[in-house]
Amino acid sequence: MNPSIPPAIDWPLLIRAQATLASIPPRLRDAAEFMPIAARQTLCRIGEPVQHMFSVIAGEVRLLRRDRDGAEIVLQRSRGGFLAEASLAARFYHCDVVAAENGGVLRFAAEVFRESLSEDAAFNAAWMSHLAREVRKLRAQCERLSLRGAAERVVHYLESEGSDGAVVLTQSRKAWAAELGLSHEALYRTLRRLQLDGTLSIDGERIALRRRPG
Amino acid sequence: MNPSIPPAIDWPLLIRAQATLASIPPRLRDAAEFMPIAARQTLCRIGEPVQHMFSVIAGEVRLLRRDRDGAEIVLQRSRGGFLAEASLAARFYHCDVVAAENGGVLRFAAEVFRESLSEDAAFNAAWMSHLAREVRKLRAQCERLSLRGAAERVVHYLESEGSDGAVVLTQSRKAWAAELGLSHEALYRTLRRLQLDGTLSIDGERIALRRRPG
DNA sequence: CGTACTTTTGAATCGCATCAAATCTGGTGG
DNA sequence: CCACCAGATTTGATGCGATTCAAAAGTACG
């Protein structure tokens, strides 16, 4: 909510704030740099050699690719924690990494990061389960995009991404529509329809699945 | 191509045959069991406690989930190497694992597998890059499913999964259609159209993107 | 206070899903 | 070896739902 750049950095606070960061070994932590970022700022581009890993501290950062028409496709959104995890094992970035709003990231040298993974068992384990979580999330996303109708995708999203069938959107509905593989008009109409037929309860940014009477 | 069950197992051969298997530590290798599998055989079900990791040696094994209509959604296909990697970090399977054809898998006790990962650095590194590859693959799949038209998905598949724009299908076109999020009829018609307009060259199971004269 | 973007609704169009049905294929058992 | 069967492949007709184009109203931000 506060897009301004922190004047001084409370490291322990920042680092304790996120699960994976909590297990970062001291050596890697000391080698990290805080980087304020502005909306639309590009952190790295597809094809560039991998030199850094990023962890989002504030704001939102996205992994983007573009189709041949130049239309953006969002591959990942992060509002906290690491992103572009797969690039650690690659030589070149396979996506653009772009800030969606003002905020800040921690920047780690890829080389030091890799060394830390092999030296610190706890960090290694945390990273591995982080990757596994990412795999599960992506599988859920693929499953959702395989569904035919707009309504089915919305419900699937609430069931798999929400807690107890409810989510508080952290993005515009337009952006949500893109994530669901729908036009924004289709999403608006679907939400309206699901609200009217009693499937959903919508209160501002909070969208919840109503328990079926059956 | 040979779905019959090997009478005796040439371990070194099998294990050297696959990249990730090559770095399996001796202890884990010795604890592995070869398991012949028949088409449609279920290796594990969603919700069951995770007790084994599987590596496909012959045939094809799939990760499935079902929507509420009971229609299958294929989350992963493997014709060699590990699958359901994310389950290693989980307590319960989050998908069904089912053989698509006759073949065989190696079965590893999950507990021993986890211990080996923490004890053997080379194996750990191989597993990590395996996970990273999976993440990239899934992102490509999501990107593909976000594309509007059938033709665009086919072309994207050839560009991202094929070598130099060409693939040799290892599955039926019907199954491919499901993977692309299309009905099989739509895929047949799209292939036909792309072949006629010169975008594709199709020769049995080999499907290749023709170089544009532009 | 203006500008850019999101949200919302309407109307027309198009592509894909769906249903139907014929042909082809590989594998099974008699 | 052939008849048979299940599933894959292929083509046609139809309808629906999502996209697209258009435009108005609402909202955030400098």
Side-chain angles (χ1 to χ4, degrees):
Chain A
M1 283 302 158
N2 179 8
S4 64
I5 293 155
I9 300 159
D10 183 351
W11 278 87
L13 181 75
L14 282 181
I15 289 183
R16 246 180 283 111
Q18 295 166 209
T20 313
L21 282 179
S23 54
I24 285 189
R27 180 185 156 219
L28 181 56
R29 180 178 310 178
D30 295 342
E33 303 166 76
F34 182 81
M35 234 179 97
I37 47 171
R40 291 151 189 273
Q41 184 178 341
T42 297
L43 300 184
C44 52
R45 277 178 219 283
I46 186 168
E48 288 178 356
V50 173
Q51 286 171 338
H52 298 101
M53 280 296 300
F54 299 97
S55 177
V56 181
I57 298 299
E60 177 169 314
V61 180
R62 294 181 182 166
L63 244 60
L64 299 181
R65 229 181 279 178
R66 289 165 196 288
D67 60 21
R68 59 195 65 196
D69 302 333
E72 286 181 355
I73 298 181
V74 178
L75 297 183
Q76 187 186 12
R77 290 188 312 128
S78 174
R79 300 187 63 84
F82 289 98
L83 82 168
E85 300 89 349
S87 60
L88 193 65
R91 296 197 44 211
F92 303 99
Y93 291 107
H94 55 290
C95 306
D96 291 341
V97 177
V98 180
E101 38 181 279
N102 294 339
V105 298
L106 287 179
R107 200 172 77 163
F108 301 85
E111 202 40 56
V112 182
F113 203 100
R114 292 193 192 99
E115 286 164 14
S116 296
L117 277 175
S118 62
E119 286 164 8
D120 187 306
F123 181 48
N124 188 298
W127 185 250
M128 206 110 89
S129 85
H130 181 65
L131 280 180
R133 227 184 347 269
E134 196 63 29
V135 168
R136 267 202 300 278
K137 204 167 171 183
L138 284 167
R139 278 207 216 295
Q141 167 89 338
C142 286
E143 186 181 1
R144 188 178 312 133
L145 290 172
S146 298
L147 296 175
R148 318 288 177 182
E152 281 179 282
R153 293 195 196 163
V154 169
V155 171
H156 182 285
Y157 186 93
L158 294 174
E159 285 175 343
S160 63
E161 305 287 325
S163 346
D164 200 29
V167 295
V168 176
L169 289 183
T170 59
Q171 61 185 333
S172 69
R173 279 151 210 241
K174 196 177 175 184
W176 189 28
E179 186 177 346
L180 292 172
L182 300 169
S183 66
H184 59 280
E185 298 97 326
L187 177 58
Y188 290 128
R189 288 190 253 258
T190 302
L191 287 177
R192 160 67 54 108
R193 187 160 45 79
L194 291 178
Q195 188 181 24
L196 288 179
D197 76 11
T199 309
L200 292 185
S201 86
I202 301 177
D203 176 23
E205 300 309 295
R206 195 190 125 87
I207 301 185
L209 204 53
R210 279 221 168 111
R211 286 285 149 253
R212 280 285 168 137
Chain B
M1 283 300 163
N2 179 6
S4 64
I5 295 154
I9 300 160
D10 183 349
W11 278 87
L13 181 75
L14 281 181
I15 288 184
R16 247 180 280 112
Q18 294 167 212
T20 312
L21 282 179
S23 54
I24 285 188
R27 179 185 158 221
L28 181 55
R29 181 179 310 179
D30 294 343
E33 305 165 74
F34 181 82
M35 233 179 99
I37 48 171
R40 290 152 187 275
Q41 183 179 339
T42 297
L43 301 184
C44 50
R45 278 179 218 282
I46 188 168
E48 289 178 357
V50 173
Q51 285 173 337
H52 298 102
M53 280 294 301
F54 300 96
S55 177
V56 180
I57 298 298
E60 177 170 315
V61 180
R62 294 181 181 165
L63 244 61
L64 299 181
R65 230 181 280 177
R66 290 167 195 287
D67 61 20
R68 61 195 62 193
D69 302 333
E72 285 183 356
I73 298 182
V74 178
L75 297 184
Q76 187 186 14
R77 290 188 313 128
S78 174
R79 300 187 63 83
F82 290 97
L83 81 169
E85 300 88 350
S87 61
L88 193 65
R91 297 196 44 209
F92 303 99
Y93 291 107
H94 55 289
C95 307
D96 291 342
V97 177
V98 180
E101 38 182 279
N102 294 339
V105 298
L106 286 179
R107 199 173 76 163
F108 301 85
E111 203 38 59
V112 182
F113 204 99
R114 292 192 191 99
E115 286 164 14
S116 296
L117 276 176
S118 61
E119 286 165 8
D120 188 306
F123 181 48
N124 188 296
W127 184 250
M128 206 110 89
S129 83
H130 181 65
L131 280 181
R133 226 182 349 268
E134 196 63 30
V135 167
R136 268 203 300 277
K137 206 168 170 181
L138 285 167
R139 280 206 216 295
Q141 168 89 340
C142 286
E143 187 181 0
R144 187 178 313 132
L145 291 172
S146 298
L147 295 175
R148 317 286 177 185
E152 282 178 281
R153 292 193 197 165
V154 169
V155 171
H156 182 284
Y157 186 93
L158 294 175
E159 285 176 343
S160 63
E161 305 288 323
S163 350
D164 199 30
V167 295
V168 176
L169 290 183
T170 58
Q171 61 184 331
S172 70
R173 282 152 208 241
K174 196 175 174 184
W176 189 28
E179 187 177 343
L180 292 173
L182 300 169
S183 66
H184 60 280
E185 297 97 326
L187 177 59
Y188 290 129
R189 288 189 252 259
T190 302
L191 287 177
R192 160 66 55 107
R193 187 159 45 78
L194 292 178
Q195 188 181 26
L196 289 179
D197 75 13
T199 308
L200 293 184
S201 87
I202 301 177
D203 176 23
E205 301 308 297
R206 195 190 123 86
I207 301 185
L209 204 52
R210 278 219 168 116
R211 287 284 148 254
R212 281 280 166 145

